Amino acid sequence: MTELHFINFKEDINYKVVAENQQQNTLFLFPTRASCKKAKQIFLQNWNFNASLFYTFDEFKEEFFLSEFPLLREEKRLLTLYKIMSEVDREFFRLHDYFKAIDFLQKLLPFWQELAEESVSDEQVLEILAQTESAGDWQQEMYRRIVQLKHNYQNYLQQNGLSDPVFNLDLNKVDSTIYQNLQQVVVVNQFYYTKLEKKILENVQLPVKIYYQLPADMINQENLQLQRAITAADIATSLTDKISVAQFKDDFSMLAHLFNQLQAPATILDFRFQQQPYSAFFDPQKFAIASGNTFSQSRFFQFLHNLHQLHTDFEDSKFSLQTLLDACLDDLFLEYFDIEEKAELRAQLFKLIDKDFKQIDIDFFTEENLLQKLLLDLVAIIDDLNKVKDAQTLVEFYSYKLDLAKFSQTYEFKYTDLPEVYFQALADFASLDNSVENWREIFPNKLAPMLGQLFLDYLKPQKPKSTSESRPAYKITNLQDTRNLKFNKLHILHISEGVLPAARKNQFLFSENQRQKLGLKTYEDIKNRDKYYFYRLLAQSEQPIIYTIHSETENVEVSSFLEELRLAGLTEKFQKYEASPQLYAEFFGQFKSSSQQWPIPQQIPADFFHIPFHTDDFAPQKFKVSFSSWNNFQQSPFEYYFQNILGLRQHQPEIEADFSSTLLGDIAHDVLNRVWQKYIAAFKTNKLSGNFYKYAENFIQNAVELIQGSYKLKYKAPQNYSEEYFRKVFLELIKEGVKNFILRLYNNYLPENGWLQVMPEKGKATEKFVSEHDGIKIFLRGRADLQVETSAGKICIFDYKTGAANYPKVKRYLNQLIFYETLYYLLDDPQKQEVLDSAIYFIEAKELKRKKKNDLDVKTELENMVETILEKGYPLLAKKAEYEDVDITRRDRAELQEQKK
């Protein structure tokens, strides 16, 4: 016999249920662990020691159904399911390795569970899919394959004496002893019941009481189905005061107001606390987080992750500089290897990165340094990791090879049970060997790194708990854990559309319409459930404060649930708040040291971004200028000071995973220089004559082959798909471009019956005195790619470039040619301007851009530069207009019209 009891929103349902049923031996069933724990506390406070049992409904089902075979749990289910999948299955579902399959399998198992709980047969599904016009053949084909996979999985488990919870829901195989000494079953405010749960309650040979805390007309009392959604009117009489609502534009303003309102003890309901960036600022000594921080958020896990990434990326005895940098930016990682000079080691890494290196190995170093010491230690660890062949040997490495004593002083090792959770996870992980006979079947390639990734994935969701004896004054919870609970001081954050109600998501395989026809929960069902939880919570809380965000720029709107409450007159007028600039200053001021003084914006002088000249900027009274440094000065004297005087560079924490433009340019230059050396060796002079072009193809091919085996590519080339592009596309473009350039020289620059003298780039830059200005000696320095002089008296300077020959590049590079002409010829003999004919050659595009005129007086420009520095220092210039380097602009057209007038 089943009795339904309806409790109004003013009462505490846990106290009510316990008070009415504490005298009988009762099986209490709750929707959540939190409400179950609370009711049990109430029960024990009354000094009741009868045979009553307290379970969540899900826990009860696990105890209720008997299994004649051991049940697979967690990772063992996924591994076994993946193992029995055929190559055809994996190809169809596009699951080419285990880690790509995890997401699919984690959706598949609950999907089977849901169909089983709702007693949906395969025939029903196929009938619905066939009838639904929107269902394509792909749905039917996919479901048939899923059904076959389920049968294969079940057969495998039976053959090996195992089972899975999804196959363990047989009402003919239940543990009826669980009801011994019990007098009744009480279910407390379960909102939805699956068909299986209803059958369980129907078959109980005891009286059943079902308690609801909602209006009686919401439930069909015969089949326990929801008849309508909860409304604001349902909770109106339960509210003693109108609900306070605070509206904000951003998270910072919301949190600032929250902390201003908090009075201990209090509860904070945050729907996505773990995903919020601000969660890291909450002190666990003051805030108890209901869901708890996961293992993946610990510093120790970050160390394990860094170590694993170094192992995974360790290819051909080389370390990825990106992976090495990521690890070395973590202080705990360097402390483990006893490296105290952290800044020095990071500076060594950035120096290599600035020079375009992407990998290094032990052979890279010619002398001992901090980085070499670290790599030696890492190689020793990786050698141990490479011996891993199964779960047990991996556990042995993490248990005995790592010096865990080095983490003993970290917060999480001292004040949480993280070490215990870690070793328990290791013990559980080792048992996976019982489910996998041959790990190579799961991970055919890179077995040891893949096992390491599997273990880290296993660690991620584990939840270490605080071992501190202090009781936090505030608790942070989520909507699911508030079911059946009552609160005094409650602050509810993020009540915005997309959070509550949650945004609509695509369900696995079925459409919403198909789910409805099959009797499965739809988006509207979940939306109504969450609405009930929210409204019941408001009715059960004394003076709750709701925090919502409305921002047009971020497309964030106030929750529709909240709008309904407002229209029903249950909320006060929304109070809008915004954090003041002073509050921002006070907050960020907490991060500065006590001796640090930060300038107040109003007190910054007008020349704050203006660095004065110091006599030691040009020591000893010698000013050397290259084209790049002069160009930097033209762009910004302020930045020029940091880059060219102080030698500071902005470091990039992300290394380009492709061939950088600098490396490609260097390779193209190397090919050309090697070709010229071949010519000089063949002709035994740098004066080329006759049909020298006929040697070009062989010389170019030889140079390219030497480049491919060079030291530069060994450490600077990325080890990925880009290498194939480099070999098959870029090098071919370079060969064609170089061949075209030599042909141009032969056809256009070699005099008839004369010679052409080539002077390729030298290792050391050329440097020449320009003039002396106010005691400062000015020197011009540079290194041209190629100088050519002919027997006819013509002089040419060529500069090689890769990439596209667009207008901004050409404009800048032509000025560079003038710098080189001045350096090599015009400083000594200005009359040679008449015979100079320089050009930029874009190798890939096979384009030659010749300098048309010389309207840049380099000597005067350098003297003006020195004069500016002496008089004004290094000011910060106004930002250059975006249209300055565009071929055609509106301003160009306007100036043209003015000229016509």
Side-chain angles (χ1 to χ4, degrees):
M1 182 181 69
T2 301
E3 295 180 10
L4 270 61
H5 298 258
F6 292 89
I7 300 174
N8 65 55
F9 287 117
K10 291 184 178 180
E11 295 185 86
D12 187 314
I13 188 170
N14 287 319
Y15 277 99
K16 177 83 170 178
V17 168
V18 169
E20 291 184 356
N21 299 280
Q22 62 184 343
Q23 300 305 321
Q24 291 182 287
N25 293 339
T26 304
L27 171 63
F28 291 97
L29 299 178
F30 298 85
T32 67
R33 168 49 44 193
S35 60
C36 180
K37 182 179 178 180
K38 180 64 177 178
K40 191 172 183 178
Q41 288 175 346
I42 298 169
F43 183 84
L44 294 176
Q45 285 173 359
N46 295 330
W47 294 92
N48 284 312
F49 299 103
N50 61 26
S52 293
L53 299 175
F54 291 78
Y55 287 103
T56 67
F57 214 133
D58 288 336
E59 290 172 343
F60 172 70
K61 283 186 287 187
E62 290 187 8
E63 296 283 341
F64 184 63
F65 289 102
L66 291 173
S67 176
E68 54 186 312
F69 300 114
L71 293 173
L72 293 185
R73 302 285 185 184
E74 299 175 341
E75 203 72 36
K76 294 178 183 178
R77 303 173 76 193
L78 303 181
L79 283 167
T80 304
L81 188 52
Y82 178 75
K83 183 175 65 174
I84 63 99
M85 292 178 72
S86 67
E87 288 300 322
V88 176
D89 288 333
R90 294 178 188 178
E91 185 63 34
F92 177 82
F93 295 117
R94 299 182 181 180
L95 310 175
H96 300 298
D97 64 57
Y98 176 73
F99 294 107
K100 290 179 180 177
I102 287 177
D103 183 61
F104 172 75
L105 298 178
Q106 286 179 333
K107 292 176 181 176
L108 191 59
L109 289 166
F111 176 71
W112 286 341
Q113 181 83 18
E114 184 181 21
L115 294 180
E117 292 238 3
E118 296 294 353
S119 302
V120 178
S121 68
D122 297 334
E123 291 74 18
Q124 285 177 282
V125 173
L126 291 172
E127 183 181 352
I128 293 296
L129 294 181
Q131 293 176 355
T132 307
E133 294 181 3
S134 61
D137 292 339
W138 69 268
Q139 270 186 311
Q140 298 178 53
E141 177 63 20
M142 176 170 277
Y143 188 74
R144 288 191 181 96
R145 287 181 178 270
I146 287 175
V147 170
Q148 185 59 52
L149 181 59
K150 182 171 69 172
H151 291 327
N152 293 344
Y153 179 47
Q154 189 171 17
N155 290 336
Y156 176 86
L157 294 179
Q158 289 175 348
Q159 292 169 9
N160 289 272
L162 299 168
S163 188
D164 186 284
V166 76
F167 304 130
N168 198 46
L169 302 175
D170 188 349
L171 285 169
N172 296 316
K173 298 178 181 179
V174 297
D175 183 6
S176 58
T177 62
I178 200 169
Y179 298 125
Q180 287 181 359
N181 303 320
L182 294 178
Q183 297 170 285
Q184 63 176 354
V185 176
V186 172
V187 188
V188 186
N189 209 25
Q190 178 97 353
F191 194 62
Y192 288 118
Y193 292 89
T194 66
K195 289 183 179 179
L196 178 65
E197 290 168 346
K198 293 175 186 177
K199 289 179 181 178
I200 291 173
L201 296 178
E202 290 170 3
N203 293 338
V204 171
Q205 302 301 312
L206 294 172
V208 176
K209 293 181 181 179
I210 297 178
Y211 283 81
Y212 283 107
Q213 190 169 33
L214 43 68
D217 69 325
M218 282 182 61
I219 296 292
N220 182 323
Q221 299 189 24
E222 293 183 3
N223 59 19
L224 305 182
Q225 293 282 359
L226 186 70
Q227 296 186 142
R228 67 172 179 84
I230 193 171
T231 66
D234 292 323
I235 62 169
T237 58
S238 300
L239 299 177
T240 55
D241 298 294
K242 287 190 175 182
I243 301 167
S244 298
V245 180
Q247 182 177 311
F248 308 91
K249 290 184 177 180
D250 52 47
D251 284 354
F252 183 87
S253 298
M254 180 182 69
L255 291 174
H257 187 76
L258 168 68
F259 290 129
N260 188 47
Q261 297 290 316
L262 273 181
Q263 292 182 356
T267 301
I268 302 168
L269 191 158
D270 193 335
F271 291 78
R272 300 173 182 173
F273 180 76
Q274 300 292 354
Q275 289 75 43
Q276 301 292 353
Y278 57 70
S279 63
F281 291 94
F282 282 70
D283 185 354
Q285 299 293 316
K286 297 179 180 178
F287 296 88
I289 303 171
S291 57
N293 289 329
T294 61
F295 204 107
S296 62
Q297 295 170 289
S298 67
R299 293 187 67 197
F300 180 58
F301 180 85
Q302 186 60 45
F303 170 84
L304 297 177
H305 171 75
N306 286 330
L307 196 61
H308 167 71
Q309 285 301 119
L310 286 164
H311 180 210
T312 302
D313 296 341
F314 189 67
E315 295 280 353
D316 299 326
S317 299
K318 292 197 289 289
F319 288 94
S320 160
L321 270 182
Q322 179 68 71
T323 309
L324 201 56
L325 175 64
D326 292 342
C328 291
L329 290 176
D330 179 20
D331 285 352
L332 185 63
F333 183 83
L334 295 182
E335 288 165 6
Y336 179 85
F337 293 99
D338 300 321
I339 294 177
E340 298 179 359
E341 304 88 345
K342 300 181 183 68
E344 183 180 341
L345 184 137
R346 289 164 184 158
Q348 292 176 10
L349 279 171
F350 280 122
K351 186 176 181 180
L352 291 173
I353 293 168
D354 290 344
K355 291 182 178 180
D356 215 28
F357 286 95
K358 288 182 171 61
Q359 301 96 26
I360 55 173
D361 56 22
I362 298 298
D363 297 334
F364 179 85
F365 300 95
T366 56
E367 57 183 25
E368 292 184 5
N369 60 29
L370 285 173
L371 191 51
Q372 184 200 36
K373 174 185 177 299
L374 174 62
L375 294 193
L376 286 170
D377 290 340
L378 287 173
V379 166
I381 287 180
I382 288 174
D383 285 345
D384 285 332
L385 278 169
N386 283 335
K387 297 173 185 175
V388 167
K389 58 184 179 180
D390 50 29
Q392 181 60 43
T393 51
L394 184 76
V395 167
E396 289 171 1
F397 170 83
Y398 281 121
S399 300
Y400 306 116
K401 295 294 184 179
L402 287 186
D403 187 358
L404 296 179
K406 292 191 174 183
F407 304 102
S408 60
Q409 296 306 308
T410 59
Y411 171 86
E412 53 215 25
F413 266 65
K414 291 177 69 174
Y415 300 111
T416 75
D417 66 347
L418 183 141
E420 290 84 350
V421 172
Y422 173 67
F423 283 109
Q424 182 61 55
L426 284 172
D428 294 342
F429 188 79
S431 68
L432 291 179
D433 284 341
N434 298 328
S435 301
V436 182
E437 300 87 2
N438 183 3
W439 283 100
R440 288 285 179 189
E441 294 179 2
I442 307 295
F443 305 123
N445 302 311
K446 303 183 74 170
L447 174 60
M450 294 299 98
L451 278 168
Q453 183 62 59
L454 186 65
F455 176 62
L456 291 186
D457 287 348
Y458 189 78
L459 272 181
K460 283 179 182 178
Q462 307 298 326
K463 293 183 179 179
K465 298 176 182 177
S466 173
T467 56
S468 172
E469 295 182 358
S470 62
R471 297 176 65 86
Y474 309 102
K475 181 179 179 180
I476 299 177
T477 188
N478 54 61
L479 186 62
Q480 305 302 318
D481 282 344
T482 63
R483 286 183 280 181
N484 296 357
L485 301 183
K486 186 179 179 68
F487 298 91
N488 292 327
K489 298 176 183 177
L490 181 65
H491 302 262
I492 311 174
L493 308 185
H494 289 293
I495 305 302
S496 302
E497 202 71 9
V499 177
L500 186 73
R504 186 186 296 268
K505 295 180 181 179
N506 291 329
Q507 297 280 6
F508 182 76
L509 189 58
F510 300 146
S511 68
E512 287 290 304
N513 184 47
Q514 291 166 348
R515 292 184 66 85
Q516 186 177 27
K517 290 182 178 181
L518 289 168
L520 304 177
K521 292 187 186 68
T522 64
Y523 171 75
E524 286 301 320
D525 293 329
I526 303 301
K527 180 179 176 181
N528 290 334
R529 181 200 66 185
D530 288 348
K531 185 179 181 183
Y532 164 71
Y533 292 158
F534 178 53
Y535 280 7
R536 191 211 72 85
L537 178 63
L538 294 177
Q540 284 279 290
S541 303
E542 295 182 11
Q543 298 180 330
I545 302 177
I546 294 176
Y547 298 70
T548 186
I549 293 180
H550 174 74
S551 172
E552 293 181 0
T553 57
E554 299 295 331
N555 195 28
V556 180
E557 298 179 356
V558 173
S559 168
S560 56
F561 293 173
L562 199 53
E563 285 293 337
E564 182 181 333
L565 294 173
R566 183 182 65 82
L567 292 173
L570 302 184
T571 67
E572 296 177 349
K573 183 179 180 181
F574 292 9
Q575 295 295 315
K576 298 181 180 180
Y577 298 91
E578 187 172 355
S580 67
Q582 182 62 31
L583 189 58
Y584 280 92
E586 290 176 359
F587 173 75
F588 289 108
Q590 302 298 316
F591 300 102
K592 70 181 182 67
S593 64
S594 57
S595 60
Q596 186 179 13
Q597 296 296 320
W598 286 0
I600 300 174
Q602 291 82 352
Q603 296 178 350
I604 294 179
D607 61 349
F608 179 77
F609 294 104
H610 185 118
I611 301 171
F613 168 73
H614 297 283
T615 54
D616 57 354
D617 287 350
F618 308 140
Q621 302 298 298
K622 192 175 182 180
F623 183 43
K624 299 179 182 180
V625 185
S626 65
F627 174 74
S628 62
S629 63
W630 175 78
N631 188 67
N632 289 343
F633 185 84
Q634 298 300 314
Q635 297 293 323
S636 172
F638 186 81
E639 293 182 20
Y640 163 86
Y641 175 78
F642 290 100
Q643 293 183 22
N644 297 90
I645 303 298
L646 298 183
L648 300 177
R649 295 287 188 275
Q650 180 181 1
H651 296 304
Q652 297 296 331
E654 296 292 332
I655 301 174
E656 191 175 3
D658 200 350
F659 282 81
S660 68
S661 57
T662 302
L663 178 58
L664 293 177
D666 287 347
I667 290 170
H669 281 66
D670 279 359
V671 170
L672 271 159
N673 285 338
R674 288 175 187 270
V675 168
W676 294 132
Q677 294 304 325
K678 287 287 182 182
Y679 269 109
I680 293 170
F683 280 78
K684 298 182 180 179
T685 177
N686 62 350
K687 291 184 178 180
L688 310 183
S689 59
N691 185 12
F692 64 84
Y693 172 70
K694 66 181 181 180
Y695 303 103
E697 191 164 349
N698 287 336
F699 288 171
I700 293 169
Q701 182 62 35
N702 184 265
V704 167
E705 289 174 359
L706 290 173
I707 283 292
Q708 287 182 283
S710 68
Y711 169 90
K712 183 174 293 184
L713 282 181
K714 178 181 179 182
Y715 294 112
K716 294 189 176 184
Q719 305 297 310
N720 56 26
Y721 58 88
S722 299
E723 188 177 3
E724 187 171 1
Y725 167 82
F726 171 76
R727 286 187 292 103
K728 294 183 177 180
V729 180
F730 179 76
L731 285 181
E732 293 302 316
L733 290 174
I734 292 300
K735 287 195 286 188
E736 290 299 316
V738 172
K739 188 176 178 181
N740 177 269
F741 179 61
I742 296 173
L743 180 61
R744 285 173 183 264
L745 290 182
Y746 175 74
N747 287 334
N748 302 329
Y749 290 86
L750 178 66
E752 186 176 355
N753 299 321
W755 48 262
L756 179 151
Q757 183 177 12
V758 294
M759 292 170 280
E761 178 183 49
K762 297 179 181 179
K764 188 176 181 181
T766 300
E767 187 176 297
K768 284 187 180 178
F769 175 73
V770 177
S771 64
E772 186 171 342
H773 190 86
D774 288 349
I776 303 294
K777 293 180 180 179
I778 306 172
F779 288 81
L780 184 60
R781 66 193 310 271
R783 186 170 56 186
D785 291 336
L786 178 68
Q787 295 168 250
V788 173
E789 296 181 5
T790 72
S791 55
K794 182 181 288 188
I795 301 173
C796 305
I797 294 178
F798 293 98
D799 207 58
Y800 318 134
K801 302 297 177 185
T802 53
N806 56 47
Y807 172 76
K809 282 186 178 180
V810 173
K811 180 180 178 182
R812 176 173 178 262
Y813 294 151
L814 291 180
N815 282 339
Q816 186 176 6
L817 287 178
I818 299 172
F819 256 67
Y820 288 152
E821 289 180 347
T822 305
L823 170 64
Y824 287 104
Y825 298 101
L826 300 182
L827 284 176
D828 298 328
D829 185 2
Q831 298 301 319
K832 286 192 174 180
Q833 177 66 57
E834 300 299 322
V835 295
L836 280 167
D837 181 20
S838 300
I840 303 291
Y841 183 67
F842 289 87
I843 301 173
E844 295 165 88
K846 293 188 283 192
E847 290 188 44
L848 194 71
K849 299 292 184 180
R850 303 172 73 169
K851 177 179 64 63
K852 296 179 181 179
K853 60 179 180 177
N854 186 351
D855 55 0
L856 180 67
D857 185 343
V858 174
K859 180 178 178 181
T860 302
E861 289 287 342
L862 297 184
E863 290 173 347
N864 290 340
M865 179 179 176
V866 172
E867 184 176 348
T868 300
I869 292 173
L870 294 177
E871 293 181 1
K872 301 179 181 179
Y874 310 92
L876 184 64
L877 302 180
K879 186 176 180 181
K880 188 177 182 181
E882 293 182 359
Y883 52 71
E884 287 295 332
D885 287 332
V886 178
D887 287 292
I888 300 175
T889 68
R890 291 179 180 272
R891 189 180 68 174
D892 293 333
R893 292 182 177 276
E895 290 177 351
L896 185 61
Q897 293 298 323
E898 288 296 323
Q899 292 173 6
K900 289 181 178 179
K901 291 179 182 179

